Amino acid sequence: MPIKNALRAATALGLLTATGAFAESHSPTITIATVNNGDMIRMQGYTDTFTEQTGINVEWVTLEENVLRQRVTTDITTKGGQFDITTIGMYEAPIWGANGWLVPLDDLSDEYDVDDILPAMRSGLSHDGTLYAAPFYGESSMIMYRTDLMEEAGLEMPDAPTWEFIREAAAAMTDRDADINGICLRGKAGWGEGGAFINTMANSFGARPVNENWEPQLDSDAWAETLTFYTEMMEESGPTGYATNGFNENLSLFQQGKCGMWIDATVAASFVTNPDESEVADSVGFALAPNKDGVDKKANWLWAWALAIPAGTEQEDAAKQFIEWSTSKGYIELVAENEGWANVPPGARTSLYETAEYQEVPFAQKTLDSINAADPNNPTVEPVPYTGIQFAAIPEWAGMWGQVSQEFSAAYAGQQSIEEALEKGQAIMTEELEAAGY
C-alpha cells in the first residue's frame, strides 16, 4: 500500500532508539505471530517504515484466530521459541505474565506514555500492576446495522435496544429472495469465537457459567433460554451455515450487504464504513449491545489484541522497539495521515478520543461508550468468583470453554438438541473444574 511521507512520519514517532550504524551492522530479524484481521494486516503494510528507521527486519506469521491461539499457546508453554512477539489478549496476558512466560513491559520510554493507555486496557493486560502486553487496539462489542433496511422495515433502532427488539427487527429485515439475512452472529466453535459471543449473550439473559463455588450452571433455565432464543432467531433470520461463521465470515457478509444487523467487535466499525471495502458503507448505524428485557446487563465484552514478548527470546530489545513503534501515538498518526482517522487502531489510547478529528468519526463515541460500559469485575447478574466478561480468567478456561463451544456449534448445526449440548457442556465443565481443584 502507498505510504506517503513515511520517513518523516516515522521519524516523528521519536520512539526508535537504534542508530543507523547499529542497524547496518546487526540487522536483527524478529518473528511476529498475529491474527488475520484487517488492522493487523494493515500494520504489516507499514513494516518497511519501521525497518528503514531501525534496520530491524520483520517476519510475519499470520493465522486464523483459533489457529493463532493454539500455535502461540503451544509455543509459549513448551518454550518453543518460534516467535519474538506474539499477539495475545486480556485472557492470556495476566496469566502468562504471572507464570513468568512473558517479558515485563515496565521499562518503555517516557515518550511512549504508558499512562495514556485506556485504564481498562492497561488493567486487563497487567498482573500485579506490571504491564505484560501493549494493546494494538482495544474493543468492546456493539450493534452495527443497516439504516436503510431498518427504515424500510418501519422501525427505529433505540440507542440501547433489547434482545426482543433485535429479534423483531431481524425478522422484519430478512429478505431471503434478495439474500439478505436480518442478523449475522458468531456460531463458530472456539472459546474466543462463538464461545465468546454466546457467553456475553448469556450474561445479558441473567445466566452465568459457574456459581460462586465454581459449580457449573449450564443446566440452568437461563442458559436454556439463551441458547433457545439464539438458535430460534438465527433460524428465522440468520445466514445458512451460521454455525461455522466467526468474525471474518460475518464481516464479509455484512460488507456484501447480506446482513441487516451484526453484533460483534467495535473494531469492525472502520471496515463496514470503509467505501473501499464495504458495499453498504454509507448506510451503517451503531447502537449499544442489547440486554434482555428486565435484565440489567448488556451483551458486550472487553478485549484487546495486544503484542507481548515471550520470555527467553534472543531479540528482546528489537521486539520492544517494534512494540513501542506499533502501539504508539505516532503509529496512529501515521495511519491517520495515509488512510484517514476512521481507519486508525481504536480503543487503546485516551489521547485518541481527545483528538478533534477522531471525535468526528461516526462510531468513535459509541466504541468508547461500549468499552466504558464493560465491567470485567462484575460480568454477570448473579455473582461469580472470576474476572472477565466473555471468559473467566483462569488457565483452564480456554480448553474447557473451547470444548463447550464445540457442543454449542453442533446444536446450532442441528447435529444435537440444545438440551444435549448443555448437558454435555455441564459434564465437560464439571470434570475439568473438579480435576483442577476448584
Side-chain angles (χ1 to χ4, degrees), residues 46-207:
Y46 289 94
T47 303
D48 287 348
T49 302
F50 172 77
T51 299
E52 288 169 2
Q53 292 300 302
T54 64
I56 298 170
N57 299 305
V58 179
E59 293 183 352
W60 292 94
V61 178
T62 307
L63 302 167
E64 185 270 332
E65 183 173 328
N66 285 340
V67 178
L68 173 76
R69 295 184 195 280
Q70 182 180 35
R71 284 276 302 275
V72 168
T73 300
T74 299
D75 190 61
I76 200 83
T77 55
T78 62
K79 299 181 180 179
Q82 294 183 53
F83 310 117
D84 302 299
I85 295 176
T86 59
T87 305
I88 62 174
M90 290 183 167
Y91 171 70
E92 299 92 350
I95 296 174
W96 293 2
N99 288 342
W101 296 346
L102 301 175
V103 174
L105 300 180
D106 53 3
D107 58 351
L108 300 177
S109 68
D110 291 341
E111 192 170 1
Y112 178 78
D113 193 3
V114 170
D115 291 339
D116 184 51
I117 297 174
L118 284 169
M121 301 302 157
R122 191 165 68 246
S123 174
L125 296 169
S126 298
H127 173 70
D128 282 348
T130 297
L131 188 70
Y132 283 97
F136 182 70
Y137 68 76
E139 66 179 43
S140 183
S141 50
M142 66 181 178
I143 303 167
M144 293 159 278
Y145 68 95
R146 291 272 300 277
T147 55
D148 56 337
L149 296 182
M150 188 70 72
E151 183 177 354
E152 289 174 14
L155 298 171
E156 183 175 349
M157 175 69 79
D159 183 60
T162 63
W163 278 111
E164 289 79 4
F165 174 85
I166 294 300
R167 184 171 180 176
E168 175 191 353
M173 288 192 285
T174 298
D175 185 344
R176 299 299 189 194
D177 293 337
D179 199 18
I180 295 175
N181 308 285
I183 192 163
C184 295
L185 300 173
R186 299 188 193 193
K188 188 175 187 176
W191 75 263
E193 275 280 9
F197 178 84
I198 199 65
N199 201 38
T200 56
M201 184 175 179
N203 292 342
S204 71
F205 271 69

